[in-house]
Amino acid sequence: REKVIKNLNFKVKSGENVALVGKNGAGKTTIVKLLCRFYDVTSGEILINGINIKNLDLHDWYKYLGTLFQDFIKYDFTVKENITLGNLDSFDNKKILAAAKKSGAADFIEDLPKKYDQVLGRQFAGGVELSIGQWQKIAIARAFYESPPILILDEPTSAIDAESEYEIFQNLTKEYKHKSLLLISHRF
């Protein structure tokens, strides 16, 4: 079995923003999946504040992580339920609106028949299907709403136009000025 990653050593300081840029198959997503502990390293170790990630309680570790993968799931729920996924017990409308604005989703949401109460997808009657780029903006809004201390984004804007992508990254830079952001991309 060929190793995807060999002899890799790096540190991410608290509050640091890091971009992993490279070709397909270079191991960028593998690094993220290791950090999320979807699987373990075969040699070496990953340390979080000096503690081996294998010794961390996953439930506690996941409280600090927010992720948005390139193959994110589209939920056939309302817009606001999509944005607050994982925080269904507390809808904070101001926070929902701010997250939608930062992700660039607010404009098209306001054009939907039921706005933030609009059911998305075609699974249920009255549901509206979005473009892939619009779905990505909803998923990015979810990351802004959650605002975890560590946010991992794997090609989060692959279906979004360059102007919107620029605005989203400007907002992420502001939001994550004192938090950690790990961004995977094929391009600078």
Side-chain angles (χ1 to χ4, degrees), residues 115-132:
K115 300 185 184 344
Y116 289 84
D117 291 316
Q118 178 63 55
V119 173
L120 300 178
R122 296 281 184 202
Q123 184 173 350
F124 299 108
V128 172
E129 188 57 63
L130 302 177
S131 71
I132 295 297

Side-chain angles (χ1 to χ4, degrees), residues 112-169:
L112 295 172
K114 295 182 180 177
K115 300 185 184 344
Y116 289 84
D117 291 316
Q118 178 63 55
V119 173
L120 300 178
R122 296 281 184 202
Q123 184 173 350
F124 299 108
V128 172
E129 188 57 63
L130 302 177
S131 71
I132 295 297
Q134 289 172 323
W135 274 112
Q136 271 190 328
K137 288 179 180 182
I138 293 287
I140 293 167
R142 189 178 308 136
F144 276 116
Y145 183 86
E146 187 179 341
S147 191
I150 303 167
L151 180 60
I152 300 171
L153 301 172
D154 187 355
E155 292 288 338
T157 58
S158 59
I160 295 175
D161 64 270
E163 185 178 327
S164 295
E165 180 181 54
Y166 176 79
E167 289 177 29
I168 290 167
F169 285 140

Side-chain angles (χ1 to χ4, degrees), residues 168-186:
I168 290 167
F169 285 140
Q170 291 298 314
N171 290 330
L172 282 167
T173 301
K174 289 177 197 167
E175 181 84 14
Y176 277 82
K177 189 173 187 172
H178 301 292
K179 298 177 187 180
S180 296
L181 176 65
L182 183 60
L183 174 68
I184 293 176
S185 183
H186 289 105

Side-chain angles (χ1 to χ4, degrees), residues 18-30:
V18 175
L20 298 176
V21 181
K23 297 178 182 179
N24 287 339
K28 301 178 304 293
T29 300
T30 299

Side-chain angles (χ1 to χ4, degrees), residues 13-177:
K13 296 176 187 169
S14 180
E16 188 173 27
N17 293 340
V18 175
L20 298 176
V21 181
K23 297 178 182 179
N24 287 339
K28 301 178 304 293
T29 300
T30 299
I31 291 170
V32 167
K33 289 182 177 181
L34 290 167
L35 288 173
C36 292
R37 194 130 186 258
F38 293 165
Y39 42 85
D40 290 323
V41 295
T42 53
S43 64
E45 59 186 353
I46 296 173
L47 302 176
I48 308 298
N49 291 334
I51 301 169
N52 190 310
I53 196 168
K54 293 178 184 178
N55 296 328
L56 294 177
D57 178 275
L58 277 182
H59 180 71
D60 290 338
W61 175 231
Y62 289 161
K63 288 179 187 176
Y64 291 91
L65 287 181
T67 58
L68 175 55
F69 291 98
Q70 55 190 322
D71 55 349
F72 64 93
I73 298 172
K74 300 181 252 175
Y75 298 100
D76 289 346
F77 301 136
T78 65
V79 169
K80 68 181 173 187
E81 288 169 329
N82 263 278
I83 292 173
T84 62
L85 196 60
N87 297 295
L88 296 175
D89 54 343
S90 62
F91 284 124
D92 182 337
N93 283 325
K94 273 180 88 171
K95 200 171 165 185
I96 292 169
L97 295 174
K101 186 173 170 76
K102 290 175 190 173
S103 74
D107 290 340
F108 75 80
I109 292 170
E110 288 298 324
D111 290 338
L112 295 172
K114 295 182 180 177
K115 300 185 184 344
Y116 289 84
D117 291 316
Q118 178 63 55
V119 173
L120 300 178
R122 296 281 184 202
Q123 184 173 350
F124 299 108
V128 172
E129 188 57 63
L130 302 177
S131 71
I132 295 297
Q134 289 172 323
W135 274 112
Q136 271 190 328
K137 288 179 180 182
I138 293 287
I140 293 167
R142 189 178 308 136
F144 276 116
Y145 183 86
E146 187 179 341
S147 191
I150 303 167
L151 180 60
I152 300 171
L153 301 172
D154 187 355
E155 292 288 338
T157 58
S158 59
I160 295 175
D161 64 270
E163 185 178 327
S164 295
E165 180 181 54
Y166 176 79
E167 289 177 29
I168 290 167
F169 285 140
Q170 291 298 314
N171 290 330
L172 282 167
T173 301
K174 289 177 197 167
E175 181 84 14
Y176 277 82
K177 189 173 187 172

